[in-house]
Amino acid sequence: MSLSALQPIPPGVANLADFEAHAQAAMNAEAWAYLNGGAADEITLRANRSAWDAIQLQPRVLRDLSGGHSRVNLLGTELAHPVLLAPIAYQRLAHADGELASAYAAAAQGAGMVLSAQASVAMEAVAQAFATEPQGGPLWFQLYWRDDRGFMLELLQRVERAGFTALVLTVDAPVHGARDRERRAGFKLPADVRAVNLGGLKKPLDLQPGQSALFDGLMPRAATWAEVDWLRANSRLPLLLKGVTHADDALEARKRGASGVIVSNHGGRTLDTVPASADLLPRLRDGVGAEFCVLVDGGIRRGTDVLKAMALGANAVLLGRPYVHALAAAGAHGVAHALRLLRDELEIAMALSGCKTLAEAGPHLLWSARK
């Protein structure tokens, strides 16, 4: 699979939010509802954005910032900046090049990428795209647990052979959320878009009369801490848990040998009324201590959001819907442009806050009326 011809950036795009209208025009209504919808009343979806807006920066001035930079170290790898592309399924719904375009763009811009298990492009093609840019960030593979250990073992081996450097187990979505917007739109995957890395059919439910399809059928197949232990024992790759919102769960992950957690409410797509990621982050950081790896996603739109996340204790952030908007609007060129905009905004925010490196970012950068 090769990339389409380079597409121009739409006129008037000055920030990540500007891609949204162009993306909506490029996608059909059903796919748009799938990508942008949240669970139930979408309270968490909206809160993710408003929580970053509510945090205020308190800059320092007259500091010597010569030699400053946005580099960070993440699980032993130095990144040019602390931004990774979050795992988003079925990106060929947004653009014919799908995840391949996102991979080329991320690698070219020094960003990391977490490939969804439900990607619509083969993992080997994505890994090959990353291999073309030695300065690219880390390439991780996101897993949903499937209750077939033979299948899971084959998948882990394939992931390692392809060259991925970490596993990300999503733990907050054992079942789908009640995504009303998506259901109203009547979303169904088109025939030419599928999860190409997940061959085979899931086992059918075997229910007795009166049993619940959810609690007696699906939940016995869902991952528990035992499956976390199994993944640790059957893969050499570092394991991070995505969808952790409680400090006690983050502590348990650390105890069981996970390399990190991703503070996430699944972009507001699973359980509605979960707190915003920005509000959850400092509690989890306080709970696990300074040395454990903690990332965050949900509502990131601006370089100031990235700086705020780092000040609250994140080691890096994951960018979600905005890069798929850029993908829909302008393919690989759009994603690369979105990442460059975000990095430029981060560096501007650092300079104007008196923050020479992200190692210096901390709660002192954030305004509190209680100070």
Side-chain angles (χ1 to χ4, degrees), residues 175-215:
V175 296
H176 287 302
R179 300 202 287 258
D180 294 350
R181 195 194 315 190
E182 181 182 319
R183 292 187 293 185
R184 291 190 191 105
F187 172 77
K188 291 183 180 179
L189 277 176
D192 63 339
V193 177
R194 61 186 181 88
V196 298
N197 298 301
L198 299 179
L201 299 175
K202 295 181 180 179
K203 300 175 185 176
L205 298 181
D206 184 16
L207 298 173
Q208 301 302 314
Q211 287 189 313
S212 162
L214 179 61
F215 289 107

Side-chain angles (χ1 to χ4, degrees), residues 304-322:
T304 46
D305 301 334
V306 180
L307 182 57
K308 292 170 188 178
M310 303 299 287
L312 290 171
N315 295 98
V317 307
L318 285 81
L319 182 67
R321 290 180 178 93

Side-chain angles (χ1 to χ4, degrees), residues 1-135:
M1 181 178 179
S2 59
L3 290 178
S4 305
L6 189 68
Q7 295 174 241
I9 302 301
V13 170
N15 58 52
L16 272 60
D18 287 339
F19 279 109
E20 188 166 344
H22 298 284
Q24 187 169 9
M27 297 175 66
N28 64 50
E30 294 80 11
W32 182 255
Y34 170 79
L35 173 63
N36 288 279
D41 298 309
E42 301 188 345
I43 293 167
T44 297
L45 175 65
R46 293 190 296 274
N48 273 347
R49 178 62 238 148
S50 60
W52 294 116
D53 286 341
I55 299 170
Q56 296 174 292
L57 293 166
Q58 186 175 24
R60 299 295 302 274
V61 298
L62 299 175
R63 296 192 165 196
D64 180 5
L65 302 183
S66 57
H69 60 79
S70 60
R71 294 191 297 274
V72 296
N73 188 286
L74 190 63
L75 297 184
T77 299
E78 186 173 83
L79 282 69
H81 55 87
V83 179
L84 294 83
L85 300 186
I88 295 181
Y90 307 122
Q91 291 183 27
R92 290 189 61 241
L93 290 170
H95 191 279
D97 294 336
E99 292 84 358
L100 188 65
S102 298
Y104 273 112
Q109 291 297 324
M113 180 175 181
V114 186
L115 183 69
S116 171
Q118 296 176 321
S120 49
V121 172
M123 68 172 77
E124 290 82 3
V126 170
Q128 186 175 10
F130 248 76
T132 63
E133 288 286 350
Q135 300 305 312

Side-chain angles (χ1 to χ4, degrees), residues 54 58-59 75 132 138 155 224 278 323 344-345:
Q58 186 175 24
L75 297 184
T132 63
L155 182 63
T224 67
Y323 86 83
D344 288 347
E345 287 186 3

